[in-house]
Amino acid sequence: MDAKDYAVEAAARDYAWKWFQYHASQRQTVFQFFLAVIGAVLAAYLAVLHSGANAGFARFFGLLIMVLGFLFWRLDCRGGRLVKIAEQYLKVDEANLASLLGRSEIKLIEGAGQDKGAYPCLECVHSFRQIYMYIFILIGLMGFVIVLLP
């Protein structure tokens, strides 16, 4: 491989890495914003509930929580897809690098999906997407319960 080819590969790797960083960071920021918005809606719900206002008005906040949970879940799905685009390139790039080095340990993305973590008794590894989905579901169910409360 000559210097020009190496420079092109390095530029492609840098581009993919920056794409990954940007969208992963944006995804984290959106999720944090979601939690802050849900906290504000819950605070408003509790304030309305304790003020003795109309129960129907209080139920509105449960519906709002469900809608926000759905919308932010869809945003997270989009963000996850954008992160995966970079991961796909970087995974191939790592395979090429591993081949050149003669060492498979550089396949970090592949290895991250196989990591059992600190608790080997757990059989599966949960991704950010899965954990976020659980949180979106739990918050959506909380909104549903609020709608059903008298």
Side-chain angles (χ1 to χ4, degrees):
M1 175 184 309
D2 64 8
K4 181 182 174 188
D5 291 339
Y6 179 77
V8 169
E9 281 194 28
R13 183 178 302 118
D14 184 57
Y15 175 68
W17 178 243
K18 285 179 181 173
W19 175 283
F20 175 86
Q21 282 181 308
Y22 176 77
H23 290 290
S25 174
Q26 185 180 51
R27 189 175 180 201
Q28 295 290 337
T29 301
V30 167
F31 187 72
Q32 290 168 355
F33 182 67
F34 166 71
L35 294 177
V37 167
I38 291 301
V41 172
L42 281 173
Y45 164 72
L46 292 173
V48 166
L49 192 65
H50 290 295
S51 73
N54 182 330
F57 184 60
R59 286 187 183 111
F60 162 77
F61 291 103
L63 182 61
L64 183 60
I65 288 169
M66 289 189 301
V67 169
L68 288 171
F70 176 77
L71 293 175
F72 275 92
W73 169 67
R74 294 306 302 151
L75 271 175
D76 183 63
C77 288
R78 174 70 177 150
R81 279 191 219 106
L82 293 172
V83 167
K84 287 289 180 197
I85 290 169
E87 281 183 2
Q88 289 170 358
Y89 176 83
L90 291 169
K91 190 182 276 191
V92 171
D93 192 52
E94 284 179 348
N96 291 338
L97 189 56
S99 176
L100 287 172
L101 292 173
R103 298 186 62 192
S104 63
E105 297 89 356
I106 194 62
K107 295 181 181 180
L108 304 176
I109 294 173
E110 182 180 303
Q114 298 170 355
D115 180 32
K116 298 290 186 204
Y119 305 101
C121 59
L122 297 176
E123 290 297 319
C124 60
V125 175
H126 294 283
S127 66
F128 276 102
R129 171 176 280 159
Q130 291 167 322
I131 298 296
Y132 285 0
M133 183 184 64
Y134 300 150
I135 293 170
F136 289 128
I137 289 170
L138 287 173
I139 289 176
L141 287 174
M142 179 178 57
F144 184 70
V145 167
I146 289 171
V147 168
L148 295 179
L149 288 176

